[in-house]
């Protein structure tokens, strides 16, 4: 079945249907209609999957998708246009440019924590770039996956874009097929399997993974504001966000203050009992509930800790005096647990971060520019936000992606278009001025090598064709002038020799 789907999409793609920009814009507008006309259905599906309310669905998923669609529609012509490049004298008269082209058939495998955004945002870039696409939503967010499969054929060209639902067997069968790009969002364990499967066909991959994103709180900052922002970013979607602050690093002297400020913020956000708050989500299923709950073992609980397996509910929980060897520090939490690890100053915090896998995100809270500069200079991460959390994700002009164990490749806005395009290098040369090519033809001599080196090593700085012609004409004129002088010298020398003979 999966092979039939992929082969069918490839056949339609190769017909050239998606080449015109008008077609791509029509598909993007149709996708926007799907979102706006079925917003209530999407919200209901996410309520069933994650107990997420209407406002959080709009804030964390739908607004971002709509923004990406509008941006792609308005900027697509510019993104897809040939991109001129700098030239040297050797190709000064040629047309030299980069031509973005569709890759072909793209596989997009989404994650369950944001099941609409993590499928449809890459799809926006795939459509804008002119690709066909197979969408594989996570089976864990079942209501969203089923709704997506039901709705998409009513809006998008079903011969170019199809949804495949199911679990591990269906995903494995898809990965046996030849795609032109695989875009996967999830964890690093599955990411390695995706990359291994892609290697069989030499298929390029984008892996949007995760990891333990550190959050350093400097004692020289507004701790109340810092904790308010961290609390929002950590416990939104019940902590099931790939760029949520995974743990806090701070000096022991401010640990109690941090716990106190987070407690105040939790009271403000979710009232006395988060279990009854309409703004607090649930763990996706019992397997993940048990996994997250087990991470609390051996950790001193400062706040929260309550749970209810019948609802997959775990309260917003802060853990204090957590040691690096604890189990909770060995894997991504992906739940509403916030460990605090104490360090003796900035240098120790930087060392703590650098001795672990490169994170998807890094957060720094400080009013000291020196602290901020050192964190930015001496660490690395997929992205970074200073004095806030998550917000770099919302800037569509910034590339979003991981580094090392947290992923490879990037997307959002134009970056998605570029990631899912082939940047074809093009050079168009005329048949004129063949004499300029003599330097590369046999018989090769030292003089010809000097000429070739001169033309190849002198770059033109944004010169127009007219300027290029002027430069080459000047070079040729100088060459002709030198040749004429040589001839005159030789003629004068011959005349002198003849007169000497006559007078002898």
């Amino acid at each position: 079945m999966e092979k039939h789907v992929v082969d069918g999409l490839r056949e339609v793609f190769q017909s050239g249907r998606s080449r015109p920009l008008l077609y791509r814009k029509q598909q993007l507008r149709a996708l926007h209609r799907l979102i706006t006309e079925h917003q209530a259905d999407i919200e209901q599906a996410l309520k069933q999957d994650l107990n997420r309310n209407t406002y959080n669905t709009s804030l964390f998923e739908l607004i971002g998708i709509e923004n990406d669609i509008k941006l792609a529609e308005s900027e697509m012509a510019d993104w897809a246009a040939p991109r001129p490049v700098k030239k040297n004298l050797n190709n000064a008269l040629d047309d030299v440019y980069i031509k973005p082209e569709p890759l072909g058939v793209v596989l997009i495998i989404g994650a369950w924590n944001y099941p609409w955004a993590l499928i449809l945002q890459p799809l926006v870039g795939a459509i804008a770039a002119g690709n066909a696409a197979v969408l594989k939503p996570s089976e864990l967010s079942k209501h969203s996956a089923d709704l997506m499969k039901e709705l998409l054929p009513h809006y998008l060209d079903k011969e170019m874009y199809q949804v495949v639902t199911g679990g591990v067997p269906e995903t494995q069968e898809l990965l046996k097929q030849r795609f032109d790009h695989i875009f996967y969002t999830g964890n690093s364990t599955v990411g390695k399997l995706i990359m291994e499967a892609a290697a069989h066909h030499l298929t390029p991959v984008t892996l949007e993974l995760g990891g333990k994103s550190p959050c350093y709180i400097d004692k020289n900052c507004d701790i109340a504001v810092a904790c308010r922002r961290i609390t929002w970013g950590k416990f939104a979607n019940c902590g099931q966000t790939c760029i949520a602050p995974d743990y806090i690093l701070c000096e022991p002297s401010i640990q109690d203050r941090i716990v106190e400020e987070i407690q105040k913020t939790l009271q403000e956000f979710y009232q006395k009992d988060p279990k009854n708050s309409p703004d607090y989500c649930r763990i996706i299923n019992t397997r993940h509930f048990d996994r997250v709950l087990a991470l609390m073992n051996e950790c001193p609980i400062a706040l929260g800790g309550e749970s209810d397996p019948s609802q997959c509910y775990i309260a917003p929980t802060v853990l204090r005096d957590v040691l690096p060897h604890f189990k909770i520090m060995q894997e991504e939490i992906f739940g509403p647990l916030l460990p605090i690890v104490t360090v003796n100053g900035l240098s120790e915090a930087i060392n703590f971060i650098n001795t672990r896998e490169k994170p998807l995100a890094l957060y720094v809270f400080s009013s000291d520019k020196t602290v901020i500069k050192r964190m930015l200079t001496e660490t690395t991460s997929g992205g970074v936000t200073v004095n806030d959390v998550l917000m770099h994700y919302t800037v569509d002009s910034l590339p979003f992606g991981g580094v090392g164990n947290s992923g490879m490749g990037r997307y959002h806005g134009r970056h998605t278009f570029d990631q899912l395009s082939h940047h074809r290098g093009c050079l168009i040369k005329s048949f004129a001025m063949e004499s300029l090519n003599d330097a590369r033809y046999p018989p090769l001599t030292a003089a010809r090598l000097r000429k070739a080196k001169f033309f190849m090593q002198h770059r033109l700085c944004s010169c127009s064709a007219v300027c290029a012609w002027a430069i080459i004409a000047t070079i040729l004129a100088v060459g002709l002038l030198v040749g004429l002088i040589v001839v005159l010298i030789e003629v004068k020398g011959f005349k002198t020799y003849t007169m000497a003979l006559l007078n002898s």
Side-chain angles (χ1 to χ4, degrees):
M1 183 264 189
E2 285 76 11
K3 185 178 188 305
H4 176 74
V5 168
V6 177
D7 289 346
L9 295 187
R10 188 172 303 282
E11 183 179 350
V12 177
F13 168 78
Q14 290 176 344
S15 73
R17 181 181 296 182
S18 62
R19 291 277 176 173
L21 296 186
L22 178 60
Y23 171 86
R24 305 180 199 182
K25 289 184 178 182
Q26 289 170 342
Q27 296 303 305
L28 289 175
R29 289 167 188 158
L31 185 61
H32 188 262
R33 288 199 308 275
L34 184 157
I35 296 297
T36 53
E37 292 175 9
H38 291 277
Q39 181 170 339
D41 297 323
I42 294 170
E43 290 167 351
Q44 178 60 28
L46 285 166
K47 178 70 176 177
Q48 293 173 291
D49 287 329
L50 289 156
N51 194 45
R52 192 188 297 161
N53 67 19
T54 298
Y55 306 107
N56 281 326
T57 291
S58 290
L59 183 65
F60 286 104
E61 300 214 50
L62 302 187
I63 293 174
I65 298 169
E66 291 186 69
N67 287 346
D68 273 15
I69 292 172
K70 292 174 183 177
L71 178 67
E73 186 181 345
S74 64
E75 300 293 330
M76 188 196 313
D78 179 56
W79 296 348
R83 305 175 187 181
V85 297
K86 289 185 177 180
K87 301 185 283 187
N88 57 36
L89 282 175
N90 198 47
N91 48 53
L93 304 180
D94 305 331
D95 290 329
V96 186
Y97 56 89
I98 297 168
K99 184 174 185 289
E101 293 187 337
L103 288 171
V105 182
V106 173
L107 171 61
I108 300 172
I109 303 176
W112 51 263
N113 55 327
Y114 295 97
W116 292 87
L118 297 180
I119 283 278
L120 297 189
Q121 285 187 296
L123 176 62
V124 170
I127 293 172
N131 298 296
V134 175
L135 312 181
K136 173 59 183 71
S138 172
E139 69 279 10
L140 299 187
S141 48
K142 185 179 185 307
H143 298 91
S144 293
D146 290 344
L147 182 62
M148 190 179 296
K149 185 175 179 64
E150 176 191 341
L151 294 179
L152 213 73
H154 295 295
Y155 288 85
L156 297 189
D157 183 346
K158 59 186 177 184
E159 293 185 313
M160 282 286 290
Y161 312 101
Q162 288 205 22
V163 179
V164 173
T165 54
V168 173
E170 288 77 11
T171 303
Q172 290 176 334
E173 193 60 34
L174 274 175
L175 290 172
K176 292 177 184 177
Q177 312 309 313
R178 183 173 69 84
F179 289 93
D180 298 289
H181 196 99
I182 297 175
F183 194 112
Y184 168 73
T185 302
N187 61 65
S188 58
T189 301
V190 177
K192 293 173 184 176
L193 299 176
I194 299 287
M195 198 168 182
E196 184 179 351
H200 181 71
H201 296 292
L202 294 180
T203 300
V205 296
T206 299
L207 301 178
E208 295 295 340
L209 308 178
K212 299 185 74 64
S213 296
C215 180
Y216 177 68
I217 304 179
D218 181 35
K219 60 185 177 183
N220 183 17
C221 79
D222 188 326
I223 293 177
V225 172
C227 290
R228 180 182 176 84
R229 294 174 182 178
I230 292 166
T231 302
W232 168 74
K234 176 62 181 183
F235 298 112
N237 208 40
C238 206
Q240 299 165 120
T241 303
C242 61
I243 53 172
D246 191 89
Y247 61 94
I248 288 174
L249 292 172
C250 68
E251 293 184 29
S253 62
I254 62 171
Q255 181 176 210
D256 289 342
R257 175 79 190 284
I258 289 171
V259 171
E260 179 186 336
E261 293 297 341
I262 292 176
Q263 185 175 29
K264 289 179 184 176
T265 306
L266 287 172
Q267 172 78 18
E268 176 192 348
F269 286 0
Y270 306 118
Q271 307 305 312
K272 290 184 178 180
D273 186 4
K275 187 176 180 180
N276 295 321
S277 169
D279 296 310
Y280 192 70
C281 297
R282 296 295 185 267
I283 302 296
I284 185 68
N285 58 26
T286 55
R287 180 171 66 85
H288 280 280
F289 172 85
D290 292 338
R291 178 191 63 81
V292 173
L293 210 58
L295 294 177
M296 282 197 285
N297 293 340
E298 71 189 342
C299 297
I301 297 174
L303 297 172
E306 302 83 10
S307 63
D308 181 352
S310 68
Q311 293 189 26
C312 288
Y313 166 79
I314 299 177
T317 301
V318 178
L319 308 167
R320 61 176 297 140
D321 298 315
V322 173
L323 299 178
H325 66 272
F326 285 2
K327 182 180 179 183
I328 198 169
M329 295 304 296
Q330 309 310 311
E331 63 181 74
E332 183 179 7
I333 296 169
F334 223 67
L337 312 181
L338 182 57
I340 301 176
V341 179
T342 58
V343 290
N344 294 314
L346 177 63
S347 295
E348 189 174 320
I350 290 172
N351 183 64
F352 190 95
I353 294 166
N354 287 340
T355 53
R356 286 157 177 78
E357 295 285 3
K358 296 174 183 177
L360 181 58
L362 171 66
Y363 303 114
V364 185
F365 287 84
S366 180
S367 300
D368 188 334
K369 291 183 179 179
T370 303
V371 171
I372 295 169
K373 184 177 181 180
R374 282 195 62 192
M375 268 290 184
L376 292 175
T377 303
E378 298 178 31
T379 65
T380 187
S381 61
V384 61
T385 294
V386 176
N387 294 331
D388 207 341
V389 296
L390 312 189
M391 296 309 292
H392 64 289
Y393 182 91
T394 68
V395 184
D396 55 36
S397 54
L398 285 176
F400 179 82
V403 58
N405 201 62
S406 59
M408 63 181 67
R410 64 210 59 83
Y411 77 120
H412 285 185
R414 182 169 185 160
H415 303 288
T416 319
F417 177 92
D418 287 341
Q419 189 75 11
L420 299 179
S421 297
H422 168 55
H423 290 192
R424 190 181 192 182
C426 301
L427 183 147
I428 302 174
K429 186 179 284 288
S430 77
F431 287 104
M433 306 296 288
E434 175 64 6
S435 61
L436 294 177
N437 296 322
D438 287 347
R440 71 187 188 194
Y441 297 147
L444 299 177
T445 64
R448 287 192 169 188
L449 179 60
R450 285 194 298 272
K451 181 181 177 182
K453 184 176 181 180
F454 177 83
F455 273 82
M456 294 175 70
Q457 291 188 340
H458 283 74
R459 298 191 66 174
L460 301 176
C461 300
S462 305
C463 285
S464 65
V466 174
C467 292
W469 273 108
I471 291 171
I472 291 174
T474 301
I475 293 170
L476 291 176
V478 171
L480 289 173
L481 181 59
V482 170
L484 180 60
I485 291 170
V486 170
V487 169
L488 289 174
I489 290 171
E490 289 176 350
V491 169
K492 184 179 180 182
F494 178 74
K495 183 178 179 181
T496 302
Y497 176 72
T498 305
M499 291 299 293
L501 286 176
L502 290 173
N503 292 331
S504 63

